Amino acid sequence: MTNNRLHIDIETYSPESLADCGVHRYAAHPDFRILLFAYAFGDNPVTVIDLASGVSLPAPVRRALTDPKITKVAHNATFERTCIGAMMGQQLDPEQWECTMTQCARCGLPMSLGEAAKALGLEVQKMTEGKKLIKQFCTYHEAPAGLFGSQGGPMQPNDDPKGWETFKVYCRMDVEVERQLDKALEWLEPTATEKALYKLDQEINDRGVQIDLNLVDNAVRIDTIYKARLNAEAQRITGLSNPNSAAQLKTWIAGRTGLELDTLRKSDHIDIKSAAQDDIIDRILDIRAEVNKTSNKKYYAMQESVCRDNRIRGLLQLHGTRTGRWAGKLVQMQNLPQNHISDIDFARQLLKEGDLDMIEICYGNVADTLSQLIRTAFIAPEGHTFAVCDFSAIEARVLAWLAGEEWVLEVFRGHGKIYEATAAQMYGVPIEEITKTDPRRQKGKIAVLALGYQGAVGALESMAKNYHMSLSKEDMATIVEDWRNANPHIVKLWTKLEKAAQRCVSTGNPQQTAGLTFKMQNKTMTVQLPSGRLLSYFHMTAGVNRWGKPSLKFLGVDPETKKWGWIETYGGKLTENVIQAIARDCLAHTLLRLDELAFRTVFHVHDEVVCEVPADNADGELRAIQDVFATVPDWAEGLPLKGAGYITPYYLKD
């Protein structure tokens, strides 16, 4: 490894909680400081600089930190780049940095440095003492017995010299592990597009988005007061000391109704109300649902993470999922509640005025109203507005394109009424017969949304429940059959991908199908996408599942349990991964093109992009953004893309 790679790990202190506020606010605190700075050029020995003792960084290291010829490498490089930039009083160029955590995600490995090292069986492993030492030297402590000084703070090196020496070893070992990890993953070289995307992602996160802090503060205050009122009401009704306790409440319900409840989840409430037939039970369960409205915790997260200029930074995690899609951080933008209030301007104004009584009079359910207003906390700065644009039915378009389902592509190239067209295809009638109120349209809609990835009656049942449709098992089985008959090329795609993966794993030879290339390399099955990017499945193997049928499984982080282990897959799931990955690459292409045209993206959610644009030319800017969304990447010839957008001074779901 050449000496133009500088491997870095740092240990830091700030009175802020990094987990709660994010690195940008953490590093901006006046008392922030870097305690230890470990580094190594190439394969040279690791050096640890004890900055806490007053030693300065060597001049060659300081020069290297801004030298474009030196690539800085770290695990979760956003942290090192932001913190070192804060120490130096300047913003460091993300183009000069590489992140082994992002590379782990590309390779299908755990993002944690220690877990990735274990998965790969590296010679050097992360020290287990780290958590204890970080808590000791890097976090704020109150000041009992004068140990931390009258103002409180972290433990000082002189308070535990032996522990401090161990901490320095820990910091050095992190560089050793990261360097070995960097070498182990160099076989998967990111494409030029992915390198450019990493830089842009960092710039978007550094830019952040402004919030209406007055609205947020009032939301937190009203949420606190209202929940206290609800708890007091529940205590009066039940006589319980803590009516929010599931155990206490289940006992109370059993005593009142005779119902023995195993669980008291929100999803159980309708069934419990139906069984109890008791207005008091109804009210208690309604109170419980309002008190436990978890989405409103996002207001508290905004308070914790907002920077001094009223902008929140670091909201997005590049390659947060197997497919390469982004994940949310801090406020978790990926699961914001939708808004359905018709007079949202008025509701928002009441919240800005902090008028709890009027909110309750006008809207009844205060918790739900607050939840619907969460999006509107994100605002454009003075003189600007938001241009919001997203892809129209992107996954359905990509699925039809990859499978070669020509009739679907023609729909998207024309009127775009995919639900009506699907219903017409399923039932063999002219599309003109399928009106908005035709029950067949709803069946076509849930079929499109639920069945594209080999879903069957179970998937359709879940989707039907979301749309409050009551269908029998027989009806759903018929819909599944009709949809599959109408989309034979999509059905064939599931089998093509599964067989290609099985042949690749069993023979070790590359396999090509549907414009994709499956290959085994470094214990990993990769799937080369049309963009040239690779999907990775670590230790993909063929075997037999619990039903005695051929199966594929790989090692990965289970999206439900968040634990590392074996994950089974099949044709439909592989199809879903590939389609979502291609849709993500379309978004990446759009983000990069918008950046080339000097649009300021402040965040993006799923297939939607939010840009700050000058208010005096908002309509023209939106038209230009929609044109970018409709621009097809060179690698996706024939894919009909379309973007639809709107202008708004604050974020909302149009």
Side-chain angles (χ1 to χ4, degrees):
M1 189 172 287
T2 61
N3 287 344
N4 66 353
R5 293 180 76 77
L6 175 60
H7 299 271
I8 300 172
D9 183 70
I10 59 175
E11 303 300 338
T12 62
Y13 168 74
S14 172
E16 299 277 14
S17 166
L18 179 61
D20 293 331
C21 74
V23 66
H24 293 86
R25 175 162 164 169
Y26 175 88
H29 194 281
D31 293 335
F32 164 80
R33 55 188 180 272
I34 298 178
L35 307 174
L36 297 174
F37 190 114
Y39 70 92
F41 285 96
D43 289 324
N44 290 331
V46 179
T47 300
V48 180
I49 304 298
D50 187 348
L51 296 178
S53 68
V55 179
S56 300
L57 281 181
V61 176
R62 292 190 70 88
R63 288 195 297 270
L65 290 171
T66 55
D67 186 345
K69 300 187 187 69
I70 304 293
T71 299
K72 278 66 72 174
V73 186
H75 199 78
N76 188 16
T78 301
F79 180 77
E80 271 75 11
R81 180 180 61 82
T82 304
C83 289
I84 294 169
M87 179 187 72
M88 297 175 68
Q90 65 184 96
Q91 192 155 322
L92 300 179
D93 183 0
E95 191 171 20
Q96 299 177 18
W97 289 74
E98 289 184 9
C99 179
T100 52
M101 185 177 78
T102 301
Q103 188 70 338
C104 281
R106 293 188 185 112
C107 294
L109 292 166
M111 289 192 180
S112 156
L113 179 62
E115 292 301 312
K118 286 180 185 177
L120 290 171
L122 298 182
E123 291 180 11
V124 180
Q125 294 288 318
K126 189 175 175 71
M127 288 173 59
T128 58
E129 297 90 339
K131 286 185 179 179
K132 174 179 175 292
L133 294 167
I134 288 171
K135 185 175 182 180
Q136 187 172 322
F137 293 111
C138 299
T139 60
Y140 181 87
H141 301 272
E142 296 296 339
L147 179 60
F148 308 112
S150 60
Q151 300 301 311
M155 181 178 282
Q156 299 300 309
N158 290 339
D159 295 326
D160 182 8
K162 185 176 179 180
W164 184 252
E165 289 305 311
T166 303
F167 200 29
K168 288 195 279 188
V169 174
Y170 167 78
C171 189
R172 178 177 65 79
M173 289 300 294
D174 267 9
V175 174
E176 295 280 14
V177 176
E178 178 270 309
R179 181 164 57 180
Q180 275 206 14
L181 187 63
D182 185 41
K183 290 180 179 179
L185 303 182
E186 63 186 358
W187 65 270
L188 199 158
E189 176 70 13
T191 64
T193 297
E194 288 302 300
K195 290 180 179 179
L197 190 64
Y198 175 78
K199 174 179 182 289
L200 176 58
D201 171 77
Q202 296 294 288
E203 290 172 346
I204 292 171
N205 274 308
D206 289 348
R207 180 179 300 140
V209 59
Q210 187 170 326
I211 66 165
D212 188 330
L213 196 54
N214 168 251
L215 182 144
V216 170
D217 288 344
N218 277 329
V220 169
R221 183 180 62 81
I222 286 174
D223 187 59
T224 303
I225 294 170
Y226 187 63
K227 285 180 178 177
R229 286 186 191 174
L230 292 175
N231 274 318
E233 181 184 351
Q235 283 179 320
R236 287 195 303 271
I237 293 171
T238 64
L240 297 174
S241 60
N242 180 13
N244 202 36
S245 162
Q248 289 187 32
L249 196 53
K250 282 191 291 185
T251 301
W252 179 81
I253 291 173
R256 183 177 178 88
T257 66
L259 293 174
E260 297 291 339
L261 304 175
D262 293 326
T263 60
L264 200 56
R265 298 182 297 254
K266 183 180 178 181
S267 57
D268 300 323
H269 286 192
I270 293 176
D271 292 337
I272 296 171
K273 287 179 179 181
S274 177
Q277 293 292 304
D278 184 324
D279 290 343
I280 298 297
I281 298 293
D282 288 358
R283 179 55 186 157
I284 288 297
L285 292 178
D286 287 344
I287 288 174
R288 180 174 175 79
E290 289 192 67
V291 168
N292 293 325
K293 193 81 174 177
T294 56
S295 58
N296 290 335
K297 292 180 180 178
K298 292 182 184 294
Y299 287 117
Y300 297 80
M302 291 179 201
Q303 283 186 325
E304 290 281 355
S305 54
V306 66
C307 295
R308 292 185 179 182
D309 59 357
N310 285 1
R311 295 181 81 90
I312 296 179
R313 296 174 169 83
L315 290 172
L316 300 166
Q317 174 66 60
L318 176 64
H319 224 301
T321 70
R322 169 169 306 282
T323 61
R325 285 187 163 189
W326 281 260
K329 296 167 64 178
L330 301 175
V331 182
Q332 297 299 331
M333 304 291 285
Q334 310 297 325
N335 63 353
L336 293 173
Q338 292 193 3
N339 50 268
H340 302 286
I341 299 173
S342 57
D343 52 349
I344 197 165
D345 279 329
F346 180 64
R348 192 173 183 278
Q349 188 58 39
L350 291 179
L351 181 55
K352 284 178 65 66
E353 293 169 0
D355 197 333
L356 168 57
D357 293 335
M358 279 299 294
I359 291 174
E360 190 166 18
I361 290 168
C362 294
Y363 302 101
N365 190 323
V366 174
D368 183 66
T369 304
L370 292 180
S371 179
Q372 292 196 51
L373 292 173
I374 289 172
R375 289 174 184 260
T376 74
F378 299 97
I379 60 173
E382 187 176 351
H384 292 75
T385 191
F386 285 151
V388 183
C389 191
D390 73 340
F391 283 113
S392 172
I394 181 66
E395 287 190 36
R397 291 168 184 263
V398 173
L399 178 59
W401 173 73
L402 194 69
E405 202 66 77
E406 195 59 35
W407 75 264
V408 178
L409 294 174
E410 286 304 312
V411 169
F412 285 127
R413 291 179 185 126
H415 53 69
K417 297 178 180 179
I418 189 59
Y419 303 144
E420 290 87 345
T422 297
Q425 193 81 0
M426 287 168 61
Y427 299 112
V429 299
I431 191 172
E432 291 76 20
E433 279 193 26
I434 310 296
T435 64
K436 280 276 188 182
T437 57
D438 192 322
R440 291 175 296 182
R441 181 186 183 275
Q442 277 297 88
K443 292 177 181 179
K445 179 175 182 177
I446 63 172
V448 169
L449 298 174
L451 303 181
Y453 302 134
Q454 212 170 344
V457 169
L460 201 60
E461 188 173 22
S462 297
M463 191 61 66
K465 190 177 291 185
N466 290 342
Y467 285 91
H468 309 291
M469 293 177 65
S470 179
L471 297 169
S472 68
K473 295 283 187 183
E474 292 75 16
D475 283 343
M476 289 187 284
T478 301
I479 292 171
V480 171
E481 184 178 2
D482 290 342
W483 184 88
R484 290 184 177 184
N485 288 336
N487 293 274
H489 293 90
I490 292 175
V491 173
K492 288 177 184 176
L493 181 65
W494 307 333
T495 304
K496 284 181 181 179
L497 299 196
E498 185 167 338
K499 287 184 175 179
Q502 288 173 336
R503 287 194 298 267
C504 179
V505 170
S506 60
T507 67
N509 297 325
Q511 305 292 320
Q512 292 186 330
T513 188
L516 309 169
T517 301
F518 293 70
K519 189 183 291 186
M520 292 300 299
Q521 43 189 336
N522 288 76
K523 301 180 181 179
T524 302
M525 187 189 81
T526 60
V527 183
Q528 186 172 41
L529 302 167
S531 66
R533 184 168 70 90
L534 298 180
L535 279 184
S536 300
Y537 297 87
F538 187 59
H539 269 299
M540 179 72 92
T541 58
V544 177
N545 64 20
R546 72 194 88 168
W547 298 286
K549 294 183 178 180
S551 171
L552 290 163
K553 64 179 182 178
F554 60 94
L555 284 171
V557 178
D558 188 287
E560 299 297 327
T561 66
K562 309 301 180 186
K563 292 182 179 179
W564 178 257
W566 288 104
I567 300 173
E568 283 194 2
T569 192
Y570 56 96
K573 179 58 72 173
L574 290 171
T575 302
E576 181 181 40
N577 288 172
V578 166
I579 298 306
Q580 290 184 351
I582 295 172
R584 176 269 195 195
D585 289 349
C586 291
L587 177 64
H589 170 267
T590 299
L591 288 168
L592 289 166
R593 182 64 183 140
L594 288 172
D595 184 59
E596 289 173 7
L597 296 174
F599 285 102
R600 284 172 55 88
T601 299
V602 290
F603 63 89
H604 49 91
V605 182
H606 302 305
D607 304 311
E608 180 181 73
V609 176
V610 180
C611 296
E612 286 178 356
V613 299
D616 58 5
N617 187 32
D619 290 337
E621 299 282 283
L622 178 60
R623 285 193 296 271
I625 290 170
Q626 290 178 151
D627 287 344
V628 173
F629 269 75
T631 304
V632 180
D634 293 340
W635 47 262
E637 184 179 354
L639 171 60
L641 293 178
K642 182 181 179 181
Y646 52 95
I647 297 298
T648 177
Y650 48 78
Y651 185 48
L652 48 73
K653 198 69 177 174
D654 189 36

